[in-house]
């Protein structure tokens, strides 16, 4: 009886640990990146004002890209071209993906229409263009970004974020084609976090039960 009880307890512990493990691993050209967690929508965070994105991560004459999880826990890829102090520019590229779609473009009235996988942007000096790509339905997918023509953009920076929301550059370089992929994390938990309060309580109760069975 005691053996079965201990086995059941271990199952509870492992299941709980698995739920705490990361659901998927996202990498850009083989470099792992983490998303920024926000408590609002993608569009609100993009904060399209005065013909520009206003996330706080814009860089003049550069592409800045990063992932965000919104208030509904949806995952979105932000791609923002240029920023304050930048030159006028234009870019045409293809987003080739196994799933997902563009859910937001920062120009109103279809000034920069997206046709299928093809994206064309054109922006004035000191302004930006950009988009949010989302609607992923699984943990495993890929996106290939293929540039056809570029003007006014000299490089790219792909950001990653720590648990406190602090940004760091995961990878950067001159602007060229790049690939993003997501894969399910290993089924066995890696770096299992400290036991939760519930698990600590269960372990304590187990010790009490076993000690009483020993003396009675």
């Amino acid at each position: 009886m005691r053996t079965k009880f201990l086995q059941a307890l271990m199952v509870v512990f492992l299941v709980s640990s698995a739920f705490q493990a990361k659901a998927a691993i996202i990498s850009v050209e083989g470099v792992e990146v983490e998303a920024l967690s926000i408590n609002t929508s993608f569009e609100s965070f993009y904060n399209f004002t005065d013909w520009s994105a206003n996330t706080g991560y814009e860089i003049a004459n550069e592409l800045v890209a990063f992932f965000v999880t919104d208030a509904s826990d949806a995952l979105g890829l932000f791609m923002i071209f240029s920023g304050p102090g930048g030159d006028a520019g234009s870019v045409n590229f293809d987003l080739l993906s196994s799933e997902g779609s563009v859910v937001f473009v920062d120009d109103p009235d279809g000034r920069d229409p997206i046709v299928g996988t093809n994206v064309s942007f054109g922006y004035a000096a000191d302004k930006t263009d950009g988009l949010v790509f989302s609607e992923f339905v699984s943990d495993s997918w890929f996106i290939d970004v293929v540039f056809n023509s570029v003007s006014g953009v000299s490089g790219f920076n792909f950001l990653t974020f720590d648990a406190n929301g602090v940004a760091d550059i995961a990878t950067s370089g001159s602007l060229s084609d790049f690939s993003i992929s997501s894969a399910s994390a290993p089924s066995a938990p890696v770096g299992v976090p400290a036991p939760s309060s519930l698990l600590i309580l269960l372990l304590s109760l187990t010790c009490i039960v076993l000690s009483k069975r020993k003396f009675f």
Side-chain angles (χ1 to χ4, degrees):
M1 181 68 181
R2 183 174 63 180
T3 300
K4 290 183 178 180
F5 182 80
L6 289 173
Q7 289 175 341
L9 182 64
M10 288 302 298
V11 170
V12 171
F13 180 82
L14 291 174
V15 170
S16 176
S17 298
F19 275 120
Q20 295 180 64
K22 184 165 52 179
I25 298 173
I26 302 173
S27 61
V28 180
E29 293 293 310
V31 179
E32 186 175 345
V33 297
E34 297 287 350
L36 172 67
S37 180
I38 61 174
N39 58 4
T40 184
S41 67
F42 293 142
E43 186 172 350
S44 294
F45 179 74
Y46 198 100
N47 191 18
F48 181 63
T49 308
D50 192 26
W51 302 96
S52 293
N54 291 274
T55 65
Y57 299 110
E58 295 75 25
I59 301 176
N61 302 326
E62 300 270 326
L63 163 62
V64 174
F66 52 91
F67 280 96
V68 169
T69 53
D70 69 4
S72 65
D73 206 33
L75 179 70
L77 167 64
F78 281 58
M79 297 181 65
I80 304 171
F81 294 87
S82 200
D87 302 322
S90 63
V91 60
N92 177 273
F93 61 98
D94 290 308
L95 281 171
L96 309 175
S97 63
S98 59
E99 61 186 55
S101 61
V102 175
V103 297
F104 176 77
V105 181
D106 81 357
D107 281 318
D109 305 321
R111 187 171 68 86
D112 290 322
I114 294 174
V115 180
T117 63
N118 188 254
V119 181
S120 291
F121 286 143
Y123 51 90
D126 292 317
K127 307 301 180 184
T128 75
D129 253 329
L131 57 78
V132 180
F133 190 92
S134 186
E135 297 184 338
F136 301 103
V137 296
S138 67
D139 286 337
S140 299
W141 44 262
F142 71 84
I143 303 173
D144 290 331
V145 182
V146 180
F147 291 96
N148 304 312
S149 63
V150 177
S151 173
V153 183
S154 58
F156 86 100
N157 298 270
F158 211 107
L159 306 182
T160 187
F161 298 87
D162 67 16
N164 296 315
V166 177
D168 193 12
I169 297 175
T171 182
S172 63
S174 58
L175 190 64
S176 60
D177 301 349
F178 61 91
S179 298
I180 308 169
S181 62
S182 175
S184 297
S187 56
V190 178
V192 177
S196 65
S197 298
L198 177 59
L199 289 177
I200 293 173
L201 176 60
L202 286 173
L203 291 171
S204 300
L205 291 175
T206 303
C207 292
I208 295 173
V209 170
L210 293 178
S211 63
K212 288 185 176 181
R213 291 177 60 87
K214 179 178 180 180
F215 289 106
F216 291 96

